[in-house]
Amino acid sequence: MISFRIEGVPIAQPRQRHRVIPGPEGTTRVGNYTPKRHPVTDWKAFIRAAAQISMEGRQTLEGPLGLRICFVMPRPKAKHWKRIPMPRYPHAIKPDVDNLIKAVCDARAGVVWIDDRQVASVAAEKWVAAGGEGSHATVSVWEIDGREAADIASEFLMGRDET
């Protein structure tokens, strides 16, 4: 298992932008891009740096992978108290957890794994930081063997609603 922590406020992958590109003889095509000056660019650089440090002396993972990510978002100033405990609590507002996962997966491609299509199982959670805790993300990735893949599939099917 490979695990590491990324300090800083987690930032979600933005939606792609589109532009019309003129072509020869009056033809056009649509080009897709992510803005270069978006804060996710810096967040992905932090992820890549943490991933490279954790991968020192290791080969890029090649088979099916499991991924677990815990995002800890900043605590709002209105939720800071002096006399009562300030535990973590679920973060149920934007950014969406799937867009946070996408930024992490994109940044690790070519460092931890070859391509994010290798990720076969994902578990992610989003929390508001406890009092005195900084925002960050913790990431764990592991290779899934055949037996573990069968266990994951059977757990998924057992939890399925049969109605």
Side-chain angles (χ1 to χ4, degrees):
M1 178 179 294
I2 299 164
S3 297
F4 58 91
R5 179 178 167 126
I6 308 125
E7 298 295 334
V9 178
I11 300 187
Q13 178 71 28
R15 291 184 182 216
Q16 285 189 337
R17 308 289 170 124
H18 310 284
R19 68 174 167 239
V20 176
I21 301 169
E25 301 175 14
T27 62
T28 59
R29 65 182 180 90
V30 176
N32 300 323
Y33 67 100
T34 302
K36 291 193 189 303
R37 294 186 183 246
H38 195 280
V40 78
T41 307
D42 293 335
W43 174 242
K44 285 181 175 182
F46 291 139
I47 296 168
R48 284 185 81 75
Q52 286 171 337
I53 291 168
S54 71
M55 289 300 291
E56 267 183 27
R58 298 183 188 197
Q59 296 283 23
T60 304
L61 303 175
E62 295 182 0
L65 305 172
L67 178 64
R68 179 165 172 75
I69 309 171
C70 178
F71 297 102
V72 179
M73 308 304 282
R75 188 171 193 89
K77 289 185 181 177
K79 298 280 185 170
H80 283 267
W81 304 295
K82 291 183 180 179
R83 294 191 172 93
I84 58 176
M86 295 184 284
R88 282 186 184 178
Y89 62 91
H91 187 271
I93 58 175
K94 286 188 174 191
D96 298 351
V97 72
D98 57 328
N99 294 331
L100 290 166
I101 293 167
K102 183 67 177 153
V104 171
C105 287
D106 287 351
R108 294 173 59 167
V111 178
V112 177
W113 52 63
I114 297 166
D115 190 77
D116 55 355
R117 67 176 168 241
Q118 292 172 252
V119 177
S121 175
V122 177
E125 49 192 37
K126 202 171 55 153
W127 295 92
V128 173
E133 180 181 28
S135 31
H136 64 277
T138 55
V139 182
S140 298
V141 63
W142 64 94
E143 291 184 290
I144 297 175
D145 62 12
R147 191 171 346 118
E148 186 178 2
D151 291 344
I152 291 168
S154 66
E155 279 182 39
F156 178 75
L157 293 173
M158 294 299 284
R160 185 175 61 183
D161 186 14
E162 293 290 334
T163 58

